[in-house]
Amino acid sequence: MKSMNTNVFGAVHLGYVVIESRRFADWRRFGTDAVGMHHDDISPDVMRFRLDDQECRFLIRRGPAEDVTALGWHIDDHASFERIEARTRAHGVPVVRGSDEEAALRGVERLLRFPGPKGIAQEIYTTPLTSAEPLKMLSSGWVTGDSGMGHVAITSARPALTRGYFTTVFDARLTDYIDETISGVKLRIRFLRVNERHHSIAVAAVRGLPIDPVRTRVQHLNIQAAGLDDLARSYDRVHELGFDMALSVGQHTNDKELSYYARTPSGFEWEVGWNPVVVDESTWEPTTHQGISVWGHKPVGRTIVDLLDQFRLGARSLARPEITVPALSGGGIPDD
Ligand SMILES: [Fe+2]
């Protein structure tokens, strides 16, 4: 008898990101004039950025969080969509249907929402709405499609649970690890993929210490420029417009992506990358890389005050337990 394929790996793609901020003028300049995306004003309290023909890739809503509040995942087919919904419900985790207004703001036909690690809501949809309005943006284009729109990196004091969550919900696979020491702090980063993109989620943890040195729920977001020119020109614009650069241009050890990291008006970082490797499932083997970069990615303008701040936040995180979703975390997946 033919068994039903119940694995949703490959049918899941990062589709949109919801951000809450009060800094609308800065976000508009950052997204449009520096990074080079298409901008749409929806109302005084809502704006969006497009990367391609999808109506919405970034939804920015006015509010105090200065953080990412939700991730939207494009699911290829209804069977996979229902499989994810059924799994979530079977573990006793509430799934709610987004309102028609919420769906319209995100540029999707309908969506379901359930809780995610670090309090980042996870949303799934099958049908994005596309815009007939031509893109007006400084970039020549962005790589989306089968790879999804980029990736999200989070810090976690409970990395086994965070990895377990994405494995339980989306059948995520471990791509590789990076071990890195930054300012004397040993980090281990787990890279998880849900499709051909090397990683859609990266989870960074301080080794042997349950602390989280980052204030925001996400450490950085990544989008992939179509061309090397786009990367270089946006890097110049970030500088010229006076936005903070976090890391200069460099190349990652694991996915070989060329990239830089700017600081967003909300404080978390924004990586613009180019040309990462695509995973071939028939040959890929997870490995551990030493250090995040082959070259470059030098901290720009980081002061001793920033470092002290990070340790203060880390110490505070000891007293403030991280939000996890134990029911969907499969008991936590330890390192391979
Ligand atoms: Fe990244």
Side-chain angles (χ1 to χ4, degrees), residues 27 49 54 75 92-93 111 117 159 197 208 216 220 244 248 334:
W27 262 107
F49 294 115
Q54 257 179 250
I75 311 300
V93 172
L111 69 110
R197 185 178 286 282
T216 45
H220 74 262
D244 282 350
S248 65

Side-chain angles (χ1 to χ4, degrees), residues 232-255:
R233 287 178 188 189
S234 68
Y235 183 76
D236 270 357
R237 292 192 301 262
V238 166
H239 262 306
E240 280 162 15
L241 292 172
F243 290 103
D244 282 350
M245 198 63 77
L247 298 175
S248 65
V249 174
Q251 185 174 30
H252 285 304
T253 48
N254 58 347
D255 66 0

